[in-house]
Amino acid sequence: MEQYNVTGMSCAACSTRVEKAVSAVEGVSSVSVSLLTNSMGVEGTASPSEIIRAVENAGYGASVKGKEESAKSADELADKETPFMIKRLIASIIVKK
């Protein structure tokens, strides 16, 4: 079973829509979508690109689990707030004097 991350789902109707879209792909034998974990498991012979395209055509995002996570998590973990907050602190100290 191939595992995928699915983004953009916010309700049960969303997960059902993704499940129906992927089930319609030729070569897919079973699909299991989890709204709670924003993930999906797919069994069958369909290629990952066909499955991802079906999810995107349904209006959501998808990626193969594990392949895109490492690149995204490094960017998400980057500290973008601290430099901005330091500049604000320095500016407020200068203005206060």
Coordinates of all heavy atoms in Angstrom, one line a residue:
M1 N 0.9 -1.2 0.0 CA 0.0 0.0 0.0 C 0.9 1.2 0.0 O 1.7 1.4 0.9 CB -0.9 0.0 1.2 CG -1.8 1.2 1.3 SD -3.0 1.2 2.6 CE -4.3 0.2 1.9
E2 N 0.7 2.1 -1.0 CA 1.4 3.3 -1.1 C 0.7 4.4 -0.2 O -0.5 4.6 -0.3 CB 1.5 3.8 -2.6 CG 2.3 5.0 -2.8 CD 3.8 4.6 -2.9 OE1 4.1 3.5 -3.4 OE2 4.6 5.5 -2.5
Q3 N 1.5 5.2 0.5 CA 1.0 6.2 1.4 C 1.2 7.6 0.8 O 2.3 7.9 0.3 CB 1.6 6.1 2.8 CG 1.3 4.8 3.5 CD -0.1 4.8 4.0 OE1 -0.7 5.7 4.4 NE2 -0.7 3.6 3.8
Y4 N 0.2 8.4 1.0 CA 0.3 9.8 0.4 C -0.2 10.8 1.5 O -1.0 10.5 2.4 CB -0.7 10.0 -0.7 CG -0.4 9.1 -1.9 CD1 -0.8 7.8 -2.0 CD2 0.4 9.7 -3.0 CE1 -0.5 7.0 -3.1 CE2 0.7 8.9 -4.1 CZ 0.3 7.6 -4.2 OH 0.6 6.8 -5.2
N5 N 0.4 12.0 1.4 CA -0.1 13.1 2.2 C -1.1 13.9 1.4 O -0.9 14.1 0.2 CB 1.0 14.1 2.6 CG 2.0 13.5 3.5 OD1 1.6 12.8 4.5 ND2 3.3 13.7 3.3
V6 N -2.2 14.3 2.0 CA -3.3 15.0 1.3 C -3.5 16.3 2.0 O -3.7 16.3 3.2 CB -4.6 14.2 1.2 CG1 -5.6 15.0 0.4 CG2 -4.4 12.8 0.6
T7 N -3.4 17.4 1.3 CA -3.6 18.7 1.9 C -4.9 19.4 1.4 O -5.4 19.1 0.3 CB -2.5 19.7 1.6 OG1 -2.3 19.8 0.2 CG2 -1.2 19.1 2.2
G8 N -5.5 20.2 2.2 CA -6.7 21.0 1.8 C -8.0 20.4 2.3 O -9.1 21.0 2.1
M9 N -8.0 19.2 2.9 CA -9.2 18.6 3.4 C -9.6 19.2 4.7 O -8.8 19.3 5.6 CB -9.1 17.1 3.5 CG -8.8 16.4 2.2 SD -8.9 14.5 2.4 CE -7.6 14.3 3.7
S10 N -10.9 19.6 4.9 CA -11.4 20.1 6.1 C -12.6 19.5 6.7 O -13.1 19.8 7.8 CB -11.6 21.6 5.9 OG -12.6 21.8 4.9
C11 N -13.2 18.6 5.9 CA -14.5 17.9 6.4 C -14.6 16.5 5.8 O -13.8 16.1 4.9 CB -15.7 18.8 6.0 SG -15.9 19.0 4.3
A12 N -15.6 15.8 6.2 CA -15.8 14.4 5.7 C -16.2 14.4 4.2 O -15.8 13.5 3.5 CB -16.9 13.8 6.5
A13 N -16.9 15.5 3.8 CA -17.2 15.5 2.4 C -15.9 15.7 1.5 O -15.8 15.1 0.4 CB -18.1 16.7 2.1
C14 N -14.9 16.4 2.0 CA -13.6 16.5 1.3 C -13.0 15.2 1.2 O -12.5 14.8 0.1 CB -12.7 17.5 2.1 SG -13.3 19.2 2.2
S15 N -12.9 14.4 2.3 CA -12.2 13.1 2.2 C -13.0 12.1 1.3 O -12.4 11.4 0.5 CB -12.1 12.5 3.6 OG -13.3 12.3 4.2
T16 N -14.3 12.2 1.3 CA -15.1 11.4 0.4 C -14.9 11.8 -1.1 O -14.7 10.9 -2.0 CB -16.6 11.5 0.7 OG1 -16.8 11.2 2.1 CG2 -17.5 10.7 -0.2
R17 N -14.7 13.1 -1.3 CA -14.5 13.5 -2.7 C -13.1 13.0 -3.2 O -13.0 12.6 -4.3 CB -14.5 15.0 -2.7 CG -14.4 15.6 -4.1 CD -14.7 17.1 -4.1 NE -14.5 17.6 -5.5 CZ -14.5 18.9 -5.8 NH1 -14.7 19.8 -4.9 NH2 -14.4 19.2 -7.0
V18 N -12.1 13.1 -2.3 CA -10.8 12.6 -2.7 C -10.8 11.1 -3.0 O -10.3 10.6 -3.9 CB -9.7 12.9 -1.6 CG1 -8.4 12.2 -1.8 CG2 -9.5 14.4 -1.5
E19 N -11.5 10.4 -2.1 CA -11.6 8.9 -2.2 C -12.3 8.5 -3.5 O -11.8 7.6 -4.3 CB -12.4 8.4 -1.0 CG -12.3 6.9 -0.9 CD -12.8 6.4 0.4 OE1 -12.6 7.0 1.5 OE2 -13.5 5.3 0.4
K20 N -13.3 9.2 -3.9 CA -14.0 8.9 -5.2 C -13.2 9.3 -6.4 O -13.1 8.5 -7.4 CB -15.3 9.7 -5.3 CG -16.4 9.2 -4.4 CD -17.7 10.0 -4.6 CE -18.8 9.4 -3.7 NZ -20.1 10.2 -3.9
A21 N -12.4 10.4 -6.3 CA -11.6 10.8 -7.4 C -10.4 9.7 -7.6 O -10.2 9.4 -8.8 CB -11.0 12.1 -7.2
V22 N -9.8 9.3 -6.6 CA -8.8 8.3 -6.7 C -9.3 6.9 -7.1 O -8.7 6.2 -7.8 CB -7.9 8.2 -5.4 CG1 -6.9 7.2 -5.5 CG2 -7.3 9.6 -5.1
S23 N -10.5 6.6 -6.6 CA -11.1 5.3 -7.0 C -11.3 5.2 -8.5 O -11.3 4.1 -9.0 CB -12.4 5.1 -6.2 OG -12.1 4.9 -4.8
A24 N -11.6 6.3 -9.1 CA -11.9 6.3 -10.5 C -10.6 6.2 -11.4 O -10.8 5.9 -12.6 CB -12.6 7.7 -10.9
V25 N -9.4 6.3 -10.8 CA -8.2 6.1 -11.6 C -8.0 4.6 -11.9 O -8.2 3.7 -11.1 CB -7.0 6.6 -10.8 CG1 -5.7 6.3 -11.5 CG2 -7.1 8.1 -10.5
E26 N -7.7 4.4 -13.2 CA -7.6 3.0 -13.7 C -6.3 2.4 -13.0 O -5.3 3.0 -12.9 CB -7.4 3.0 -15.2 CG -7.4 1.6 -15.8 CD -7.3 1.6 -17.3 OE1 -7.9 2.6 -17.9 OE2 -6.7 0.7 -17.9
G27 N -6.5 1.2 -12.4 CA -5.5 0.5 -11.8 C -5.5 0.6 -10.3 O -4.8 -0.1 -9.6
V28 N -6.4 1.4 -9.7 CA -6.6 1.5 -8.3 C -7.6 0.4 -7.8 O -8.7 0.4 -8.3 CB -7.0 2.9 -7.9 CG1 -7.4 3.0 -6.4 CG2 -6.0 3.9 -8.2
S29 N -7.1 -0.4 -6.9 CA -8.0 -1.4 -6.4 C -8.7 -1.0 -5.0 O -9.8 -1.5 -4.8 CB -7.3 -2.8 -6.2 OG -6.2 -2.6 -5.3
S30 N -8.0 -0.3 -4.2 CA -8.7 0.2 -3.0 C -8.0 1.5 -2.5 O -6.8 1.8 -2.8 CB -8.6 -0.8 -1.9 OG -7.3 -0.9 -1.4
V31 N -8.8 2.4 -1.9 CA -8.4 3.7 -1.4 C -8.9 3.8 0.0 O -10.1 3.5 0.3 CB -8.9 4.8 -2.2 CG1 -8.5 6.2 -1.7 CG2 -8.6 4.7 -3.7
S32 N -8.0 4.4 0.9 CA -8.5 4.7 2.3 C -7.9 6.1 2.6 O -6.7 6.3 2.7 CB -7.9 3.6 3.2 OG -8.2 4.0 4.6
V33 N -8.9 7.0 2.9 CA -8.5 8.4 3.1 C -8.8 8.7 4.6 O -9.9 8.4 5.1 CB -9.3 9.4 2.2 CG1 -9.0 10.8 2.6 CG2 -9.0 9.1 0.8
S34 N -7.8 9.3 5.3 CA -8.0 9.7 6.7 C -8.0 11.2 6.8 O -7.0 11.8 6.6 CB -6.9 9.1 7.6 OG -7.0 9.6 8.9
L35 N -9.1 11.8 7.2 CA -9.2 13.2 7.4 C -8.4 13.6 8.6 O -7.8 14.7 8.6 CB -10.7 13.6 7.6 CG -11.0 15.1 7.9 CD1 -10.5 15.9 6.7 CD2 -12.5 15.3 8.2
L36 N -8.4 12.8 9.7 CA -7.7 13.1 10.9 C -6.2 13.3 10.7 O -5.6 14.2 11.2 CB -7.9 12.0 11.9 CG -7.4 12.2 13.3 CD1 -8.0 13.5 13.9 CD2 -7.6 11.0 14.2
T37 N -5.6 12.4 9.9 CA -4.1 12.5 9.6 C -3.8 13.1 8.3 O -2.6 13.2 8.0 CB -3.5 11.1 9.7 OG1 -4.1 10.3 8.7 CG2 -3.7 10.5 11.1
N38 N -4.8 13.6 7.5 CA -4.5 14.1 6.2 C -3.7 13.2 5.4 O -2.7 13.6 4.8 CB -3.9 15.5 6.3 CG -4.9 16.5 6.7 OD1 -6.1 16.5 6.4 ND2 -4.5 17.5 7.5
S39 N -4.0 11.9 5.4 CA -3.3 10.9 4.6 C -4.2 10.0 3.8 O -5.4 10.0 4.1 CB -2.4 10.1 5.6 OG -3.2 9.4 6.5
M40 N -3.6 9.2 3.0 CA -4.3 8.3 2.1 C -3.5 7.1 1.8 O -2.3 7.3 1.5 CB -4.7 9.1 0.8 CG -5.3 8.3 -0.3 SD -5.8 9.3 -1.7 CE -4.2 9.8 -2.3
G41 N -4.1 6.0 1.8 CA -3.4 4.7 1.4 C -4.1 4.2 0.1 O -5.3 4.2 0.0
V42 N -3.2 3.8 -0.9 CA -3.8 3.4 -2.1 C -3.1 2.1 -2.5 O -1.9 1.9 -2.4 CB -3.5 4.4 -3.3 CG1 -4.0 3.9 -4.6 CG2 -4.1 5.8 -2.9
E43 N -4.0 1.1 -2.9 CA -3.5 -0.2 -3.4 C -3.8 -0.3 -4.9 O -4.9 0.1 -5.3 CB -4.1 -1.3 -2.6 CG -3.6 -1.5 -1.2 CD -4.1 -2.7 -0.5 OE1 -4.7 -3.6 -1.2 OE2 -4.0 -2.8 0.7
G44 N -2.9 -0.9 -5.6 CA -3.2 -1.1 -7.0 C -1.9 -0.8 -7.9 O -0.8 -0.7 -7.3
T45 N -2.1 -0.8 -9.2 CA -1.0 -0.6 -10.1 C -0.9 0.7 -10.7 O 0.0 1.0 -11.5 CB -1.2 -1.7 -11.3 OG1 -2.4 -1.4 -11.9 CG2 -1.1 -3.1 -10.7
A46 N -1.7 1.7 -10.3 CA -1.7 3.0 -10.8 C -0.4 3.7 -10.4 O 0.1 3.5 -9.2 CB -2.9 3.8 -10.4
S47 N 0.1 4.6 -11.2 CA 1.4 5.3 -10.9 C 1.0 6.4 -9.9 O -0.1 7.0 -9.9 CB 2.0 5.9 -12.1 OG 1.3 6.9 -12.6
P48 N 2.0 6.8 -9.1 CA 1.8 7.9 -8.1 C 1.5 9.2 -8.8 O 0.6 10.0 -8.3 CB 3.2 8.0 -7.4 CG 3.8 6.7 -7.5 CD 3.3 6.1 -8.8
S49 N 2.0 9.4 -10.0 CA 1.7 10.7 -10.7 C 0.2 10.7 -11.1 O -0.4 11.8 -11.0 CB 2.6 10.9 -11.9 OG 2.4 9.8 -12.8
E50 N -0.4 9.6 -11.5 CA -1.8 9.6 -11.9 C -2.7 9.8 -10.6 O -3.7 10.5 -10.7 CB -2.1 8.2 -12.5 CG -1.5 8.0 -13.8 CD -1.8 6.5 -14.3 OE1 -2.0 5.6 -13.5 OE2 -1.9 6.4 -15.5
I51 N -2.3 9.2 -9.5 CA -3.0 9.4 -8.3 C -3.0 10.8 -7.8 O -4.0 11.4 -7.4 CB -2.5 8.4 -7.2 CG1 -2.8 7.0 -7.7 CG2 -3.1 8.7 -5.8 CD1 -2.1 5.9 -6.9
I52 N -1.8 11.4 -7.8 CA -1.6 12.8 -7.4 C -2.4 13.7 -8.3 O -3.1 14.7 -7.8 CB -0.1 13.2 -7.3 CG1 0.5 12.5 -6.2 CG2 0.0 14.7 -7.2 CD1 2.0 12.6 -6.2
R53 N -2.4 13.5 -9.6 CA -3.2 14.3 -10.6 C -4.7 14.2 -10.3 O -5.4 15.2 -10.3 CB -2.9 13.9 -12.0 CG -3.5 14.7 -13.0 CD -3.1 14.4 -14.5 NE -2.7 13.0 -14.7 CZ -1.5 12.6 -15.1 NH1 -0.6 13.5 -15.4 NH2 -1.3 11.3 -15.2
A54 N -5.2 13.0 -9.9 CA -6.6 12.8 -9.6 C -7.0 13.7 -8.4 O -8.0 14.3 -8.3 CB -6.9 11.4 -9.4
V55 N -6.1 13.6 -7.4 CA -6.4 14.4 -6.1 C -6.4 15.9 -6.5 O -7.2 16.7 -6.0 CB -5.3 14.1 -5.0 CG1 -5.5 15.0 -3.8 CG2 -5.4 12.6 -4.6
E56 N -5.4 16.4 -7.3 CA -5.3 17.8 -7.6 C -6.5 18.2 -8.5 O -7.0 19.3 -8.3 CB -4.0 18.1 -8.3 CG -2.8 18.0 -7.4 CD -1.5 18.1 -8.1 OE1 -1.4 18.0 -9.4 OE2 -0.5 18.2 -7.4
N57 N -7.0 17.3 -9.4 CA -8.2 17.6 -10.2 C -9.4 17.7 -9.3 O -10.4 18.4 -9.7 CB -8.4 16.6 -11.3 CG -7.3 16.7 -12.4 OD1 -6.7 17.8 -12.5 ND2 -7.1 15.7 -13.1
A58 N -9.4 17.1 -8.2 CA -10.5 17.2 -7.2 C -10.4 18.4 -6.4 O -11.4 18.7 -5.6 CB -10.6 15.9 -6.3
G59 N -9.3 19.2 -6.5 CA -9.2 20.4 -5.8 C -8.4 20.4 -4.5 O -8.4 21.3 -3.7
Y60 N -7.5 19.4 -4.3 CA -6.7 19.2 -3.1 C -5.3 19.0 -3.6 O -5.0 18.8 -4.7 CB -7.3 18.0 -2.3 CG -8.7 18.2 -1.9 CD1 -9.7 17.6 -2.7 CD2 -9.1 19.0 -0.9 CE1 -11.0 17.8 -2.5 CE2 -10.4 19.2 -0.6 CZ -11.4 18.6 -1.4 OH -12.7 18.8 -1.1
G61 N -4.4 19.0 -2.6 CA -3.0 18.7 -2.9 C -2.6 17.3 -2.4 O -3.2 16.8 -1.4
A62 N -1.6 16.7 -3.0 CA -1.1 15.4 -2.6 C 0.4 15.2 -2.9 O 0.9 15.9 -3.8 CB -1.9 14.3 -3.3
S63 N 1.0 14.4 -2.1 CA 2.4 14.1 -2.3 C 2.6 12.7 -1.7 O 1.9 12.3 -0.8 CB 3.4 15.1 -1.7 OG 3.2 15.1 -0.3
V64 N 3.6 12.0 -2.3 CA 4.0 10.7 -1.7 C 4.6 10.9 -0.4 O 5.5 11.7 -0.2 CB 4.9 9.9 -2.7 CG1 5.4 8.6 -2.1 CG2 4.3 9.7 -4.1
K65 N 4.2 10.1 0.6 CA 4.7 10.3 2.0 C 6.2 9.9 2.0 O 6.6 8.9 1.4 CB 3.9 9.3 2.9 CG 3.1 10.1 3.9 CD 2.5 9.2 5.0 CE 1.5 10.0 5.7 NZ 0.9 9.3 6.7
G66 N 6.9 10.7 2.7 CA 8.4 10.5 2.8 C 9.2 11.2 1.8 O 10.3 11.6 2.1
K67 N 8.8 11.3 0.6 CA 9.6 11.9 -0.4 C 9.7 13.4 -0.3 O 10.7 14.0 -0.6 CB 9.2 11.5 -1.8 CG 9.4 10.1 -2.1 CD 9.1 9.7 -3.5 CE 9.4 8.2 -3.8 NZ 9.1 7.8 -5.1
E68 N 8.6 14.1 0.0 CA 8.5 15.5 0.0 C 8.6 16.1 1.4 O 8.9 17.2 1.6 CB 7.2 16.0 -0.6 CG 7.0 15.5 -2.0 CD 7.1 16.6 -3.0 OE1 7.1 17.8 -2.7 OE2 7.3 16.3 -4.2
E69 N 8.5 15.2 2.4 CA 8.4 15.7 3.8 C 9.7 16.3 4.3 O 9.8 17.3 4.9 CB 8.1 14.5 4.8 CG 6.6 14.2 4.7 CD 6.3 13.0 5.7 OE1 7.1 12.7 6.5 OE2 5.2 12.5 5.6
S70 N 10.9 15.7 3.9 CA 12.1 16.2 4.4 C 12.4 17.6 3.9 O 12.9 18.4 4.6 CB 13.3 15.2 4.0 OG 13.3 15.0 2.6
A71 N 12.1 17.8 2.6 CA 12.4 19.2 2.1 C 11.5 20.2 2.7 O 11.9 21.3 3.0 CB 12.2 19.1 0.6
K72 N 10.2 19.8 2.9 CA 9.3 20.8 3.5 C 9.6 21.0 4.9 O 9.5 22.1 5.4 CB 7.8 20.2 3.3 CG 7.3 20.3 1.9 CD 5.9 19.8 1.9 CE 5.3 19.9 0.5 NZ 4.0 19.4 0.4
S73 N 9.8 20.0 5.7 CA 10.0 20.2 7.1 C 11.2 21.0 7.4 O 11.2 21.8 8.4 CB 10.1 18.8 7.8 OG 11.3 18.1 7.4
A74 N 12.3 21.0 6.6 CA 13.5 21.8 6.9 C 13.1 23.3 6.7 O 13.5 24.2 7.5 CB 14.6 21.4 6.0
D75 N 12.3 23.6 5.6 CA 11.8 24.9 5.4 C 10.9 25.4 6.5 O 10.9 26.6 6.9 CB 11.2 25.0 4.0 CG 10.9 26.5 3.6 OD1 11.8 27.4 3.9 OD2 9.8 26.7 3.1
E76 N 10.0 24.5 6.9 CA 9.0 24.9 7.9 C 9.6 25.1 9.3 O 9.1 25.9 10.0 CB 7.9 23.8 8.0 CG 7.0 23.7 6.8 CD 6.1 22.5 6.9 OE1 6.2 21.7 7.8 OE2 5.3 22.3 6.0
L77 N 10.7 24.5 9.5 CA 11.4 24.6 10.8 C 12.3 25.8 10.9 O 12.8 26.2 11.9 CB 12.2 23.3 11.1 CG 11.4 22.1 11.4 CD1 12.3 20.9 11.6 CD2 10.5 22.3 12.6
A78 N 12.6 26.4 9.7 CA 13.5 27.6 9.7 C 12.9 28.7 10.5 O 11.7 29.0 10.4 CB 13.7 28.1 8.3
D79 N 13.7 29.4 11.3 CA 13.2 30.5 12.2 C 13.2 31.8 11.4 O 14.2 32.3 11.1 CB 14.2 30.6 13.4 CG 13.6 31.6 14.4 OD1 12.5 32.1 14.3 OD2 14.4 31.9 15.4
K80 N 11.9 32.2 11.1 CA 11.8 33.4 10.4 C 11.3 34.6 11.2 O 11.4 35.7 10.8 CB 10.7 33.2 9.3 CG 11.2 32.1 8.3 CD 10.1 31.7 7.3 CE 10.6 30.6 6.5 NZ 9.5 29.9 5.8
E81 N 10.8 34.3 12.4 CA 10.3 35.3 13.3 C 11.4 36.0 14.1 O 11.3 37.2 14.4 CB 9.3 34.7 14.2 CG 8.0 34.4 13.6 CD 7.2 35.6 13.1 OE1 7.1 36.6 13.9 OE2 6.7 35.6 12.0
T82 N 12.4 35.3 14.6 CA 13.4 35.9 15.5 C 14.1 37.1 15.0 O 14.2 38.1 15.6 CB 14.3 34.8 16.0 OG1 13.6 33.8 16.6 CG2 15.3 35.4 17.0
P83 N 14.6 37.0 13.7 CA 15.3 38.2 13.2 C 14.4 39.5 13.2 O 14.8 40.6 13.5 CB 15.8 37.8 11.8 CG 15.8 36.3 11.9 CD 14.8 35.9 12.8
F84 N 13.2 39.2 12.8 CA 12.2 40.3 12.7 C 11.9 40.9 14.1 O 11.9 42.1 14.3 CB 10.9 39.9 12.1 CG 9.8 40.9 12.1 CD1 9.9 42.0 11.2 CD2 8.7 40.8 12.9 CE1 8.9 42.9 11.2 CE2 7.7 41.7 12.9 CZ 7.8 42.8 12.0
M85 N 11.8 40.0 15.1 CA 11.5 40.5 16.5 C 12.7 41.2 17.1 O 12.5 42.1 17.8 CB 11.1 39.3 17.3 CG 9.8 38.6 16.9 SD 8.4 39.7 16.9 CE 8.1 39.9 18.6
I86 N 13.9 40.8 16.8 CA 15.1 41.5 17.3 C 15.2 42.9 16.7 O 15.4 43.8 17.5 CB 16.4 40.7 16.9 CG1 16.4 39.4 17.7 CG2 17.6 41.5 17.1 CD1 17.5 38.4 17.4
K87 N 14.9 43.1 15.4 CA 14.8 44.4 14.8 C 13.8 45.3 15.5 O 14.0 46.5 15.8 CB 14.6 44.3 13.3 CG 15.7 43.8 12.5 CD 15.4 43.7 11.1 CE 16.5 43.0 10.3 NZ 16.1 42.9 8.9
R88 N 12.6 44.7 15.8 CA 11.6 45.5 16.5 C 12.0 45.9 17.9 O 11.7 47.0 18.3 CB 10.3 44.7 16.5 CG 9.6 44.6 15.2 CD 8.3 43.9 15.3 NE 7.3 44.7 16.1 CZ 6.1 44.3 16.4 NH1 5.7 43.2 16.0 NH2 5.4 45.1 17.2
L89 N 12.7 44.9 18.6 CA 13.1 45.2 19.9 C 14.2 46.4 19.9 O 14.1 47.3 20.7 CB 13.8 44.0 20.6 CG 14.4 44.1 21.9 CD1 13.3 44.5 23.0 CD2 15.1 42.9 22.3
I90 N 15.1 46.3 19.0 CA 16.1 47.3 18.9 C 15.5 48.7 18.6 O 15.8 49.7 19.2 CB 17.2 46.9 17.9 CG1 18.0 45.7 18.4 CG2 18.1 48.1 17.6 CD1 18.9 45.1 17.4
A91 N 14.6 48.7 17.6 CA 13.9 49.9 17.3 C 13.1 50.5 18.4 O 13.1 51.7 18.7 CB 13.0 49.7 16.1
S92 N 12.5 49.7 19.2 CA 11.7 50.2 20.3 C 12.6 50.7 21.5 O 12.2 51.7 22.1 CB 10.8 49.1 20.9 OG 11.5 48.0 21.5
I93 N 13.8 50.1 21.6 CA 14.7 50.6 22.6 C 15.2 52.0 22.2 O 15.3 52.9 23.0 CB 15.9 49.6 22.8 CG1 15.3 48.4 23.5 CG2 17.0 50.2 23.7 CD1 16.3 47.2 23.6
I94 N 15.5 52.2 20.9 CA 16.1 53.4 20.4 C 15.0 54.5 20.5 O 15.3 55.6 21.0 CB 16.6 53.3 19.0 CG1 17.8 52.4 19.0 CG2 16.8 54.6 18.4 CD1 18.2 52.0 17.6
V95 N 13.8 54.2 20.2 CA 12.7 55.2 20.2 C 12.4 55.6 21.7 O 12.1 56.7 22.0 CB 11.4 54.6 19.5 CG1 10.3 55.5 19.7 CG2 11.7 54.5 18.0
K96 N 12.5 54.6 22.6 CA 12.1 54.9 24.0 C 13.1 55.9 24.6 O 12.7 56.6 25.5 CB 12.1 53.6 24.7 CG 11.3 53.6 26.0 CD 11.1 52.3 26.6 CE 10.1 52.3 27.7 NZ 9.9 51.0 28.3
K97 N 14.3 55.9 24.2 CA 15.3 56.8 24.8 C 15.2 58.1 24.3 O 14.9 59.0 24.2 CB 16.7 56.3 24.5 CG 17.1 55.0 25.2 CD 18.5 54.7 24.9 CE 18.9 53.4 25.7 NZ 20.2 53.0 25.5

